[in-house]
Amino acid sequence: MNPLSRVIEDGAVAVEGGLITGVGKADDVKPSKRAEFEIDAKGMVVVPGLVDTHVHLAQALIRGCADDTSLIDWLQKFVWPLQGNFDAQDGKASAELCILEMIKSGTTAFLESLLHTRYGLDGIAESIETSGLRGFLSKTVMSLPGYGSEQSIMHPGMVEDGETCLREVETYFRRWNGKANDRIRIWYGARSLGGCTPQLYRQIAEGAKRLGTGVTMHLNEVQEDARYAKKEFGKLPAEFMDEVGLIGPNVVFAHGVWLTEPEWAILARKHANVAHCPSSNMKLSSGIASVPEMMRAGVNVGLGCDGGPSNNCYDMIREMKTASLLHKVRTLDPLTMKAGTVLEMATIGGARALGLEQQIGSIEVGKKADLILVNLRSAHLTPTFNPVSSIVYAAEGSDVETVIIDGRIIMENKVVKTLDEERVIRVASDRASKLLNRAGVTIPSS
Ligand SMILES: [Zn+2]
């Protein structure tokens, strides 16, 4: 994923003190002193760690709670009542479940988009710290309990007050931003249109500038965003975001399904980023984002798995295949969204969205050692003529054998070293059924 997109056969990577110090043919790569240990990666591909640019940690616990449902029912009857009944222990259990799944499928960095106070941000940040993952946590900022023109529809347990939200972002920023060897960052998670006043969006933009941090927000996920922006502000959604100062290189818009050509131009000119979530958009029938067109217009696009009720998994390898195939069939052009393009979106594109393109997203000397080893020695990956196409079109998350973040081995031979896998799964399933009872939500049987 360097600018030359080189694939090195019989290669080796040297790592020292968390950084990549050598990459090339095995014979040419020599650690500066005798290596403490070596990993034999015979039969495997070393790939930059995958970057998930749109994650809801708190939705792992409610995976599959609202399948085959329309968006408003999905939110109002299932997702919001469940999340509105979360306590901090549910938040931590859900985050750990999600983190475990991400590590096991090769995600080494992610952007969480909407953490409400009741999920317990401190507990979640502690889980990031111990897990070894690179986590960007966005604290929800909102002041209206609405979604587009649908006013007052949010579950009371989800509603927060604008001033308190802004204060809390700063508190968590001072407590956690840059902690764990800079693996933790705190961002603003602006709620989508209908959830904030224009004044609050302006305050978010000012706050992010002052703290030197990022903002993420769902934008143009559904057509309603455009209708709402036209009715309320007489503008396209991205034009409105531009007016309130919320378009820049530190901004990641999730989905962007209904973004139009003039909006791509604004995003490209101001170096804002889009997190493309094809599985979620397909499952919720939100529409198909014009990703190849947006990228041609100069917009940086990363990939995102979104959440447990909308995807229903956090597996970036599956997401890459979905992204590629979706745009091929929409454009009737098999040459669009090639394997290499989606692998770039899932690595260096995601790194750029997080402002980390100088630090992660490719295997280059001087970058942080965020690496995954994908094992090709299985029936569904044999033969491998082209490792990039094997990873995108044939591999699955469970083919990831080893995960290294910041030079530290987080998972080796599919065993996660930083979390007790059995405990995480047990606690999560226990808390999920208790949450369902507490919220009074029944999942319809099929
Ligand atoms: Zn989302």
Side-chain angles (χ1 to χ4, degrees):
M1 292 300 123
N2 71 356
L4 301 172
S5 297
R6 280 181 72 201
V7 174
I8 302 166
E9 278 181 65
D10 300 319
V13 181
V15 174
E16 271 182 68
L19 298 178
I20 296 167
T21 55
V23 53
K25 286 278 187 193
D27 289 342
D28 304 332
V29 175
K30 297 268 185 284
S32 62
K33 49 185 183 270
R34 197 181 157 77
E36 247 174 84
F37 58 88
E38 278 180 30
I39 298 172
D40 181 2
K42 194 167 284 158
M44 303 195 205
V45 195
V46 186
V47 183
L50 305 175
V51 181
D52 191 332
T53 52
H54 186 62
V55 173
H56 294 276
L57 290 174
Q59 290 187 349
L61 206 64
I62 56 171
R63 188 194 311 273
C65 72
D67 296 336
D68 314 321
T69 315
S70 76
L71 180 70
I72 292 295
D73 275 359
W74 185 88
L75 286 168
Q76 266 195 302
K77 291 189 182 160
F78 301 100
V79 173
W80 283 343
L82 287 168
Q83 293 189 320
N85 273 284
F86 259 58
D87 62 23
Q89 282 171 292
D90 297 322
K92 194 172 175 70
S94 189
E96 290 192 344
L97 180 66
C98 191
I99 288 167
L100 179 66
E101 185 182 353
M102 287 194 277
I103 293 173
K104 297 212 76 157
S105 52
T107 292
T108 56
F110 70 93
L111 171 61
E112 147 68 56
S113 87
L114 283 171
L115 286 175
H116 284 244
T117 306
R118 66 178 314 130
Y119 310 159
L121 214 131
D122 286 326
I124 292 171
E126 281 161 16
S127 299
I128 309 284
E129 190 167 27
T130 37
S131 71
L133 206 58
R134 200 176 291 290
F136 282 49
L137 305 177
S138 306
K139 164 72 190 78
T140 300
V141 182
M142 64 171 293
S143 54
L144 306 168
Y147 188 92
S149 309
E150 304 264 2
Q151 289 166 10
S152 306
I153 61 163
M154 194 178 264
H155 186 275
M158 297 285 288
V159 178
E160 296 186 8
D161 149 77
E163 288 304 317
T164 313
C165 289
L166 291 171
R167 230 182 9 255
E168 285 189 346
V169 175
E170 300 218 9
T171 306
Y172 291 123
F173 183 87
R174 300 200 193 290
R175 197 176 297 159
W176 287 105
N177 195 67
K179 289 284 157 64
N181 200 29
D182 203 22
R183 282 189 290 104
I184 301 176
R185 298 280 184 92
I186 303 293
W187 278 30
Y188 288 82
R191 276 219 82 103
S192 48
L193 294 178
C196 297
T197 60
Q199 171 61 12
L200 188 57
Y201 285 126
R202 284 199 180 88
Q203 287 173 292
I204 293 170
E206 285 158 16
K209 196 171 172 195
R210 187 161 37 79
L211 298 178
T213 194
V215 183
T216 189
M217 174 181 168
H218 294 67
L219 190 72
N220 286 45
E221 178 179 2
V222 287
Q223 280 174 299
E224 170 60 17
D225 274 17
R227 278 195 293 267
Y228 178 82
K230 179 117 189 77
K231 183 168 78 81
E232 296 292 320
F233 316 118
K235 288 188 158 58
L236 293 165
E239 289 173 343
F240 169 68
M241 297 323 295
D242 194 21
E243 185 185 86
V244 295
L246 266 179
I247 294 201
N250 64 329
V251 178
V252 176
F253 291 118
H255 303 292
V257 172
W258 295 96
L259 284 171
T260 51
E261 207 171 336
E263 295 174 288
W264 310 334
I266 300 171
L267 265 61
R269 197 171 63 244
K270 302 224 164 165
H271 306 286
N273 309 279
V274 168
H276 177 41
C277 308
S279 296
S280 170
N281 299 156
M282 290 164 80
K283 185 158 179 277
L284 290 172
S285 307
S286 308
I288 307 177
S290 303
V291 170
E293 294 86 343
M294 237 182 259
M295 288 168 81
R296 271 199 298 277
V299 180
N300 178 54
V301 182
L303 266 189
C305 289
D306 206 355
S310 67
N311 186 318
N312 298 1
C313 61
Y314 299 82
D315 178 345
M316 284 286 285
I317 294 186
R318 286 199 230 181
E319 205 64 25
M320 285 194 283
K321 179 171 182 172
T322 307
S324 173
L325 300 194
L326 175 62
H327 297 287
K328 286 181 193 300
V329 72
R330 174 181 67 89
T331 57
L332 302 179
D333 178 9
L335 304 184
T336 201
M337 294 286 271
K338 294 175 184 173
T341 307
V342 291
L343 187 58
E344 276 175 20
M345 287 168 65
T347 54
I348 192 72
R352 196 172 294 122
L354 300 183
L356 291 186
E357 71 273 29
Q358 303 300 329
Q359 299 183 43
I360 60 168
S362 61
I363 309 178
E364 293 182 86
V365 170
K367 281 201 165 180
K368 289 179 191 284
D370 284 14
L371 307 164
I372 60 172
L373 273 59
V374 181
N375 195 340
L376 299 175
R377 288 172 299 192
S378 56
H380 65 280
L381 293 168
T382 303
T384 287
F385 296 124
N386 174 341
V388 174
S389 98
S390 283
I391 288 165
V392 171
Y393 297 132
E396 45 200 55
S398 54
D399 294 315
V400 175
E401 189 83 13
T402 292
V403 172
I404 300 167
I405 302 171
D406 249 358
R408 179 178 170 214
I409 301 174
I410 304 301
M411 178 171 87
E412 190 169 23
N413 304 324
K414 300 196 175 161
V415 178
V416 178
K417 297 179 152 201
T418 51
L419 289 170
D420 178 347
E421 186 169 345
E422 226 171 275
R423 182 194 60 83
V424 169
I425 293 171
R426 193 179 60 243
V427 170
S429 41
D430 178 51
R431 294 211 74 91
S433 51
K434 286 186 178 138
L435 174 68
L436 231 59
N437 285 336
R438 199 161 68 240
V441 169
T442 314
I443 312 295
S445 83
S446 49

